[in-house]
Amino acid sequence: MVYSRITGTGSYLPDRVVTNKDLEKTLDTTDDWIRERTGIKRRHVAADGETTSDMGLTAAYKAIEMAGIEVGDIDLIIVGTSTPDKIFPSTACIMQRKLGIHGCPAFDINAACSGFVYILDIANRMIQTGGAKTALVVGSETMSRIVNWQDRGTAVLFGDGAGAVILQACEKPGVLSTHIHSDGQYENLLEVPQGVSSGFDADRDGGPYIRMNGNAVFRKAVAMLGSASLEILAKNNIDKSEVDWMVPHQANLRIIAAAAKKLDMPMERVIVTVDEQANTSSASIPLALDTAVRDGRIQSGQLLLFGAFGAGFTWGSALVRY
Ligand code: UT7
């Protein structure tokens, strides 16, 4: 039996930091409100001209270095993003060119904030069925480009960044289990209501920017993150107490705390980066993972639970022996 294992992690955050105090100058909001309702203190914002593939590439090189592989060993590239550099080619193909490798499959997946759990699921299945041996799996987002900076309900919530993992075939798991779900009936609760086929029009639906019914999304996020975590533990016959670290999607500290409570998980065993990075969508789980691997909290052999929720709605979970 072939399994897959994370052998390297890497991440990247743009240099420019925008604090809540900075946002107070342009929006009818306060640092206190943002901290209290979301846990967010600051977010990173990409420089002009800095793209999703640029950020993904830096994260990828760090993961490649940690895994101790050569760039040429990579035989699959999957990028989770809803903010690609171009309509086509995919950001994964652009990264492939920048990495200087040729021929292996490279493609993007758009599952919004659940992107990383989706691409981990796909890469794991491809490795298990012999389609790849060394996959580069990247969540990268320039959310700042689809944020309406005049809308206090959403502008305070998002940030830019990238996280990457190298996933390699091995004899022992690794990735124990992944579960992904979606339900398109919630399309209008969280969306960028424009696109190629429906057309771009600055005067329609507030323009090509994120629109969200925050409260409804909040309630669903808590319910679905909790149920996805309980589902994966039950399917693998693993007790909640066996999980060493929860590495959740980072949208709001209150959502993370509510999901942790459902698992009786003390916050000391939950990786939290939302305070420093805000919601980086599909980049948030690999960013949090890399942060905790590099600061020594996550150790080899520990059991990790990833959980994500995003537009669609999409949601999912993964259990990983690091
Ligand atoms: O990755 C998945 C996608 N996103 C999420 O998971 C986000 C989910 N939603 C949330 O995190 C929360 O719903 C928010 C942080 C967006 C909002 O928090 P809330 O506790 O649900 O607040 P609310 O939407 O019920 O708004 C409460 C009040 C409203 O004023 P009124 O109507 O009570 O007078 C809002 O207009 O807070 C107001 N408000 C703000 N005030 C200051 C909304 N945004 C702001 C703001 N600053 N930035």
Side-chain angles (χ1 to χ4, degrees), residues 17-84:
V17 172
V18 175
T19 64
N20 295 346
K21 286 272 177 209
D22 293 331
L23 292 178
E24 279 183 358
K25 292 175 200 149
T26 52
L27 285 170
D28 179 17
T29 191
T30 62
D31 179 38
D32 283 349
W33 190 95
I34 302 170
R35 282 179 194 240
E36 202 176 293
R37 300 291 179 116
T38 71
I40 296 167
K41 297 176 194 155
R42 55 186 68 85
R43 72 283 295 138
H44 293 251
V45 172
D48 289 347
E50 189 172 34
T51 64
T52 296
S53 71
D54 294 333
M55 297 194 300
L57 191 70
T58 307
Y61 275 125
K62 291 184 183 164
I64 289 165
E65 189 188 8
M66 188 190 286
I69 61 160
E70 301 292 324
V71 168
D73 296 334
I74 294 166
D75 57 4
L76 170 67
I77 303 171
I78 313 182
V79 175
T81 189
S82 37
T83 49

Side-chain angles (χ1 to χ4, degrees), residues 171-187:
E171 284 166 12
K172 280 199 311 189
V175 176
L176 300 174
S177 186
T178 53
H179 297 266
I180 53 175
H181 301 281
S182 32
D183 189 341
Q185 72 167 305
Y186 300 107
E187 177 180 354

Side-chain angles (χ1 to χ4, degrees), residues 225-297:
L225 267 181
S227 67
S229 303
L230 294 172
E231 171 194 26
I232 200 165
L233 292 177
K235 288 217 164 119
N236 290 277
N237 212 8
I238 285 177
D239 189 77
K240 325 188 234 209
S241 61
E242 293 174 56
V243 176
D244 292 297
W245 294 103
M246 217 173 121
V247 189
H249 168 52
Q250 311 279 323
N252 182 321
L253 187 58
R254 288 157 57 216
I255 296 176
I256 295 173
K261 201 169 167 203
K262 284 199 176 164
L263 288 184
D264 302 324
M265 184 74 93
M267 286 306 281
E268 294 73 44
R269 280 170 42 214
V270 181
I271 309 298
V272 173
T273 52
V274 70
D275 50 341
E276 298 291 326
Q277 302 172 8
N279 182 349
T280 58
S281 191
S282 69
S284 84
I285 291 178
L287 264 163
L289 173 68
D290 186 53
T291 302
V293 164
R294 286 180 191 267
D295 70 21
R297 275 177 291 173

Side-chain angles (χ1 to χ4, degrees), residues 162-173:
V165 303
I166 298 293
L167 199 67
Q168 290 191 275
C170 67
E171 284 166 12
K172 280 199 311 189

Side-chain angles (χ1 to χ4, degrees), residues 134-192:
T134 301
L136 170 62
V137 180
V138 182
S140 186
E141 302 276 12
T142 38
M143 300 303 286
S144 59
R145 314 274 200 248
I146 52 167
V147 159
N148 175 355
W149 290 100
Q150 318 304 319
D151 174 15
R152 68 176 185 172
T154 52
V156 303
L157 302 175
F158 294 94
D160 298 336
V165 303
I166 298 293
L167 199 67
Q168 290 191 275
C170 67
E171 284 166 12
K172 280 199 311 189
V175 176
L176 300 174
S177 186
T178 53
H179 297 266
I180 53 175
H181 301 281
S182 32
D183 189 341
Q185 72 167 305
Y186 300 107
E187 177 180 354
N188 299 128
L189 291 182
L190 175 53
E191 62 178 339
V192 176

